[in-house]
Each structure stands twice: as C-alpha cells, then as structure tokens.
PDB file of all heavy atoms in Angstrom:
ATOM      1  N   THR P   1     -49.626  52.074  42.193  1.00  0.00           N
ATOM      2  CA  THR P   1     -50.306  51.329  41.138  1.00  0.00           C
ATOM      3  C   THR P   1     -49.350  50.323  40.512  1.00  0.00           C
ATOM      4  O   THR P   1     -48.140  50.556  40.443  1.00  0.00           O
ATOM      5  CB  THR P   1     -50.831  52.285  40.037  1.00  0.00           C
ATOM      6  OG1 THR P   1     -49.727  52.965  39.479  1.00  0.00           O
ATOM      7  CG2 THR P   1     -51.832  53.274  40.606  1.00  0.00           C
ATOM      8  N   VAL P   2     -49.933  49.236  40.099  1.00  0.00           N
ATOM      9  CA  VAL P   2     -49.134  48.178  39.471  1.00  0.00           C
ATOM     10  C   VAL P   2     -49.695  47.941  38.081  1.00  0.00           C
ATOM     11  O   VAL P   2     -50.895  47.759  37.907  1.00  0.00           O
ATOM     12  CB  VAL P   2     -49.222  46.873  40.304  1.00  0.00           C
ATOM     13  CG1 VAL P   2     -48.499  45.752  39.591  1.00  0.00           C
ATOM     14  CG2 VAL P   2     -48.663  47.089  41.699  1.00  0.00           C
ATOM     15  N   ASN P   3     -48.829  47.941  37.111  1.00  0.00           N
ATOM     16  CA  ASN P   3     -49.212  47.639  35.749  1.00  0.00           C
ATOM     17  C   ASN P   3     -49.194  46.120  35.606  1.00  0.00           C
ATOM     18  O   ASN P   3     -48.134  45.486  35.625  1.00  0.00           O
ATOM     19  CB  ASN P   3     -48.225  48.295  34.778  1.00  0.00           C
ATOM     20  CG  ASN P   3     -48.559  48.028  33.337  1.00  0.00           C
ATOM     21  OD1 ASN P   3     -49.039  46.953  32.985  1.00  0.00           O
ATOM     22  ND2 ASN P   3     -48.290  49.014  32.489  1.00  0.00           N
ATOM     23  N   ALA P   4     -50.362  45.521  35.473  1.00  0.00           N
ATOM     24  CA  ALA P   4     -50.473  44.057  35.430  1.00  0.00           C
ATOM     25  C   ALA P   4     -49.723  43.472  34.244  1.00  0.00           C
ATOM     26  O   ALA P   4     -49.083  42.421  34.360  1.00  0.00           O
ATOM     27  CB  ALA P   4     -51.941  43.646  35.385  1.00  0.00           C
ATOM     28  N   GLY P   5     -49.765  44.110  33.104  1.00  0.00           N
ATOM     29  CA  GLY P   5     -49.061  43.617  31.917  1.00  0.00           C
ATOM     30  C   GLY P   5     -47.560  43.613  32.117  1.00  0.00           C
ATOM     31  O   GLY P   5     -46.875  42.642  31.768  1.00  0.00           O
ATOM     32  N   GLN P   6     -47.048  44.689  32.705  1.00  0.00           N
ATOM     33  CA  GLN P   6     -45.605  44.783  32.963  1.00  0.00           C
ATOM     34  C   GLN P   6     -45.186  43.754  34.015  1.00  0.00           C
ATOM     35  O   GLN P   6     -44.159  43.099  33.882  1.00  0.00           O
ATOM     36  CB  GLN P   6     -45.246  46.193  33.428  1.00  0.00           C
ATOM     37  CG  GLN P   6     -43.771  46.392  33.650  1.00  0.00           C
ATOM     38  CD  GLN P   6     -43.448  47.811  34.123  1.00  0.00           C
ATOM     39  OE1 GLN P   6     -44.333  48.653  34.277  1.00  0.00           O
ATOM     40  NE2 GLN P   6     -42.178  48.065  34.343  1.00  0.00           N
ATOM     41  N   PHE P   7     -46.017  43.607  35.060  1.00  0.00           N
ATOM     42  CA  PHE P   7     -45.729  42.620  36.101  1.00  0.00           C
ATOM     43  C   PHE P   7     -45.675  41.213  35.500  1.00  0.00           C
ATOM     44  O   PHE P   7     -44.774  40.437  35.787  1.00  0.00           O
ATOM     45  CB  PHE P   7     -46.795  42.685  37.205  1.00  0.00           C
ATOM     46  CG  PHE P   7     -46.632  41.628  38.248  1.00  0.00           C
ATOM     47  CD1 PHE P   7     -45.632  41.723  39.205  1.00  0.00           C
ATOM     48  CD2 PHE P   7     -47.465  40.513  38.266  1.00  0.00           C
ATOM     49  CE1 PHE P   7     -45.471  40.736  40.169  1.00  0.00           C
ATOM     50  CE2 PHE P   7     -47.317  39.528  39.224  1.00  0.00           C
ATOM     51  CZ  PHE P   7     -46.315  39.633  40.181  1.00  0.00           C
ATOM     52  N   HIS P   8     -46.652  40.903  34.649  1.00  0.00           N
ATOM     53  CA  HIS P   8     -46.703  39.584  34.014  1.00  0.00           C
ATOM     54  C   HIS P   8     -45.449  39.351  33.149  1.00  0.00           C
ATOM     55  O   HIS P   8     -44.854  38.267  33.193  1.00  0.00           O
ATOM     56  CB  HIS P   8     -47.968  39.448  33.167  1.00  0.00           C
ATOM     57  CG  HIS P   8     -48.093  38.139  32.474  1.00  0.00           C
ATOM     58  ND1 HIS P   8     -48.411  36.980  33.135  1.00  0.00           N
ATOM     59  CD2 HIS P   8     -47.914  37.790  31.168  1.00  0.00           C
ATOM     60  CE1 HIS P   8     -48.427  35.975  32.279  1.00  0.00           C
ATOM     61  NE2 HIS P   8     -48.136  36.447  31.077  1.00  0.00           N
ATOM     62  N   ALA P   9     -45.050  40.344  32.382  1.00  0.00           N
ATOM     63  CA  ALA P   9     -43.866  40.214  31.519  1.00  0.00           C
ATOM     64  C   ALA P   9     -42.605  39.991  32.349  1.00  0.00           C
ATOM     65  O   ALA P   9     -41.762  39.151  31.999  1.00  0.00           O
ATOM     66  CB  ALA P   9     -43.721  41.465  30.645  1.00  0.00           C
ATOM     67  N   GLU P  10     -42.465  40.728  33.441  1.00  0.00           N
ATOM     68  CA  GLU P  10     -41.295  40.571  34.306  1.00  0.00           C
ATOM     69  C   GLU P  10     -41.299  39.205  34.991  1.00  0.00           C
ATOM     70  O   GLU P  10     -40.241  38.571  35.133  1.00  0.00           O
ATOM     71  CB  GLU P  10     -41.242  41.696  35.335  1.00  0.00           C
ATOM     72  CG  GLU P  10     -40.869  43.042  34.733  1.00  0.00           C
ATOM     73  CD  GLU P  10     -40.848  44.162  35.754  1.00  0.00           C
ATOM     74  OE1 GLU P  10     -40.689  43.892  36.962  1.00  0.00           O
ATOM     75  OE2 GLU P  10     -41.006  45.321  35.326  1.00  0.00           O
ATOM     76  N   LEU P  11     -42.472  38.744  35.386  1.00  0.00           N
ATOM     77  CA  LEU P  11     -42.584  37.430  36.010  1.00  0.00           C
ATOM     78  C   LEU P  11     -42.220  36.328  35.010  1.00  0.00           C
ATOM     79  O   LEU P  11     -41.487  35.395  35.344  1.00  0.00           O
ATOM     80  CB  LEU P  11     -44.006  37.227  36.539  1.00  0.00           C
ATOM     81  CG  LEU P  11     -44.254  35.945  37.328  1.00  0.00           C
ATOM     82  CD1 LEU P  11     -43.336  35.866  38.544  1.00  0.00           C
ATOM     83  CD2 LEU P  11     -45.711  35.879  37.759  1.00  0.00           C
ATOM     84  N   GLU P  12     -42.698  36.437  33.788  1.00  0.00           N
ATOM     85  CA  GLU P  12     -42.368  35.462  32.737  1.00  0.00           C
ATOM     86  C   GLU P  12     -40.849  35.436  32.485  1.00  0.00           C
ATOM     87  O   GLU P  12     -40.264  34.364  32.339  1.00  0.00           O
ATOM     88  CB  GLU P  12     -43.095  35.796  31.433  1.00  0.00           C
ATOM     89  CG  GLU P  12     -44.564  35.497  31.449  1.00  0.00           C
ATOM     90  CD  GLU P  12     -44.854  34.011  31.427  1.00  0.00           C
ATOM     91  OE1 GLU P  12     -44.132  33.262  30.746  1.00  0.00           O
ATOM     92  OE2 GLU P  12     -45.807  33.595  32.114  1.00  0.00           O
ATOM     93  N   LYS P  13     -40.236  36.594  32.447  1.00  0.00           N
ATOM     94  CA  LYS P  13     -38.791  36.689  32.225  1.00  0.00           C
ATOM     95  C   LYS P  13     -38.043  36.006  33.372  1.00  0.00           C
ATOM     96  O   LYS P  13     -37.083  35.257  33.152  1.00  0.00           O
ATOM     97  CB  LYS P  13     -38.379  38.157  32.120  1.00  0.00           C
ATOM     98  CG  LYS P  13     -36.919  38.384  31.845  1.00  0.00           C
ATOM     99  CD  LYS P  13     -36.605  39.873  31.763  1.00  0.00           C
ATOM    100  CE  LYS P  13     -35.127  40.112  31.625  1.00  0.00           C
ATOM    101  NZ  LYS P  13     -34.801  41.543  31.638  1.00  0.00           N
ATOM    102  N   GLU P  14     -38.496  36.254  34.582  1.00  0.00           N
ATOM    103  CA  GLU P  14     -37.858  35.665  35.773  1.00  0.00           C
ATOM    104  C   GLU P  14     -38.011  34.142  35.762  1.00  0.00           C
ATOM    105  O   GLU P  14     -37.062  33.414  36.037  1.00  0.00           O
ATOM    106  CB  GLU P  14     -38.503  36.261  37.017  1.00  0.00           C
ATOM    107  CG  GLU P  14     -37.708  36.282  38.273  1.00  0.00           C
ATOM    108  CD  GLU P  14     -36.327  36.892  38.192  1.00  0.00           C
ATOM    109  OE1 GLU P  14     -36.124  37.953  37.584  1.00  0.00           O
ATOM    110  OE2 GLU P  14     -35.424  36.265  38.769  1.00  0.00           O
ATOM    111  N   LEU P  15     -39.190  33.658  35.426  1.00  0.00           N
ATOM    112  CA  LEU P  15     -39.432  32.215  35.375  1.00  0.00           C
ATOM    113  C   LEU P  15     -38.606  31.549  34.283  1.00  0.00           C
ATOM    114  O   LEU P  15     -38.105  30.442  34.466  1.00  0.00           O
ATOM    115  CB  LEU P  15     -40.920  31.928  35.160  1.00  0.00           C
ATOM    116  CG  LEU P  15     -41.820  32.199  36.355  1.00  0.00           C
ATOM    117  CD1 LEU P  15     -43.286  32.003  35.981  1.00  0.00           C
ATOM    118  CD2 LEU P  15     -41.451  31.310  37.525  1.00  0.00           C
ATOM    119  N   LYS P  16     -38.442  32.217  33.156  1.00  0.00           N
ATOM    120  CA  LYS P  16     -37.615  31.674  32.073  1.00  0.00           C
ATOM    121  C   LYS P  16     -36.176  31.521  32.549  1.00  0.00           C
ATOM    122  O   LYS P  16     -35.528  30.510  32.267  1.00  0.00           O
ATOM    123  CB  LYS P  16     -37.670  32.581  30.845  1.00  0.00           C
ATOM    124  CG  LYS P  16     -36.852  32.088  29.685  1.00  0.00           C
ATOM    125  CD  LYS P  16     -37.680  32.065  28.438  1.00  0.00           C
ATOM    126  CE  LYS P  16     -36.869  31.641  27.260  1.00  0.00           C
ATOM    127  NZ  LYS P  16     -36.928  30.233  27.001  1.00  0.00           N
ATOM    128  N   GLY P  17     -35.682  32.485  33.321  1.00  0.00           N
ATOM    129  CA  GLY P  17     -34.334  32.402  33.868  1.00  0.00           C
ATOM    130  C   GLY P  17     -34.184  31.237  34.839  1.00  0.00           C
ATOM    131  O   GLY P  17     -33.168  30.537  34.837  1.00  0.00           O
ATOM    132  N   VAL P  18     -35.209  31.002  35.651  1.00  0.00           N
ATOM    133  CA  VAL P  18     -35.190  29.883  36.593  1.00  0.00           C
ATOM    134  C   VAL P  18     -35.204  28.561  35.826  1.00  0.00           C
ATOM    135  O   VAL P  18     -34.457  27.633  36.152  1.00  0.00           O
ATOM    136  CB  VAL P  18     -36.375  29.959  37.583  1.00  0.00           C
ATOM    137  CG1 VAL P  18     -36.513  28.682  38.395  1.00  0.00           C
ATOM    138  CG2 VAL P  18     -36.217  31.159  38.503  1.00  0.00           C
ATOM    139  N   GLU P  19     -36.032  28.459  34.798  1.00  0.00           N
ATOM    140  CA  GLU P  19     -36.078  27.240  33.984  1.00  0.00           C
ATOM    141  C   GLU P  19     -34.727  26.960  33.338  1.00  0.00           C
ATOM    142  O   GLU P  19     -34.260  25.823  33.321  1.00  0.00           O
ATOM    143  CB  GLU P  19     -37.145  27.364  32.888  1.00  0.00           C
ATOM    144  CG  GLU P  19     -38.548  27.143  33.349  1.00  0.00           C
ATOM    145  CD  GLU P  19     -39.548  27.222  32.205  1.00  0.00           C
ATOM    146  OE1 GLU P  19     -39.225  27.784  31.133  1.00  0.00           O
ATOM    147  OE2 GLU P  19     -40.660  26.713  32.390  1.00  0.00           O
ATOM    148  N   GLU P  20     -34.095  27.982  32.793  1.00  0.00           N
ATOM    149  CA  GLU P  20     -32.792  27.810  32.147  1.00  0.00           C
ATOM    150  C   GLU P  20     -31.738  27.374  33.157  1.00  0.00           C
ATOM    151  O   GLU P  20     -30.938  26.481  32.875  1.00  0.00           O
ATOM    152  CB  GLU P  20     -32.364  29.104  31.455  1.00  0.00           C
ATOM    153  CG  GLU P  20     -33.154  29.409  30.195  1.00  0.00           C
ATOM    154  CD  GLU P  20     -32.834  30.776  29.606  1.00  0.00           C
ATOM    155  OE1 GLU P  20     -31.954  31.487  30.142  1.00  0.00           O
ATOM    156  OE2 GLU P  20     -33.463  31.133  28.597  1.00  0.00           O
ATOM    157  N   ALA P  21     -31.744  27.978  34.336  1.00  0.00           N
ATOM    158  CA  ALA P  21     -30.776  27.609  35.372  1.00  0.00           C
ATOM    159  C   ALA P  21     -31.000  26.172  35.836  1.00  0.00           C
ATOM    160  O   ALA P  21     -30.039  25.418  36.032  1.00  0.00           O
ATOM    161  CB  ALA P  21     -30.875  28.574  36.555  1.00  0.00           C
ATOM    162  N   THR P  22     -32.254  25.779  35.980  1.00  0.00           N
ATOM    163  CA  THR P  22     -32.572  24.413  36.399  1.00  0.00           C
ATOM    164  C   THR P  22     -32.147  23.408  35.333  1.00  0.00           C
ATOM    165  O   THR P  22     -31.568  22.358  35.647  1.00  0.00           O
ATOM    166  CB  THR P  22     -34.082  24.277  36.682  1.00  0.00           C
ATOM    167  OG1 THR P  22     -34.444  25.233  37.675  1.00  0.00           O
ATOM    168  CG2 THR P  22     -34.448  22.890  37.152  1.00  0.00           C
ATOM    169  N   THR P  23     -32.403  23.709  34.087  1.00  0.00           N
ATOM    170  CA  THR P  23     -32.008  22.827  32.989  1.00  0.00           C
ATOM    171  C   THR P  23     -30.487  22.712  32.908  1.00  0.00           C
ATOM    172  O   THR P  23     -29.950  21.613  32.738  1.00  0.00           O
ATOM    173  CB  THR P  23     -32.603  23.326  31.663  1.00  0.00           C
ATOM    174  OG1 THR P  23     -34.025  23.390  31.795  1.00  0.00           O
ATOM    175  CG2 THR P  23     -32.256  22.410  30.503  1.00  0.00           C
ATOM    176  N   ASP P  24     -29.786  23.815  33.048  1.00  0.00           N
ATOM    177  CA  ASP P  24     -28.314  23.788  33.038  1.00  0.00           C
ATOM    178  C   ASP P  24     -27.778  22.943  34.187  1.00  0.00           C
ATOM    179  O   ASP P  24     -26.841  22.162  34.016  1.00  0.00           O
ATOM    180  CB  ASP P  24     -27.738  25.202  33.126  1.00  0.00           C
ATOM    181  CG  ASP P  24     -27.958  26.010  31.853  1.00  0.00           C
ATOM    182  OD1 ASP P  24     -28.306  25.414  30.811  1.00  0.00           O
ATOM    183  OD2 ASP P  24     -27.790  27.244  31.906  1.00  0.00           O
TER     184      ASP P  24
END
C-alpha cells in the first residue's frame, strides 16, 4: 500500500531540492 499524502509530501520535498540545486 502507498500512502498518497506521504508520497506527495516526499515528492514535493524532492522537487524543492531539485529547484534549489538548479537555482544554485
């Protein structure tokens, strides 16, 4: 089973890291 809320939160965190790395 996959918790959609947890998956979404982890995906958002990962995308924020990619955005920060790209901006840097």
Side-chain angles (χ1 to χ4, degrees):
T1 61
V2 175
N3 180 325
Q6 183 180 359
F7 175 75
H8 179 74
E10 288 179 23
L11 185 59
E12 287 289 323
K13 182 180 174 184
E14 205 52 44
L15 288 175
K16 180 129 177 93
V18 170
E19 281 182 341
E20 288 173 3
T22 303
T23 302
D24 290 346

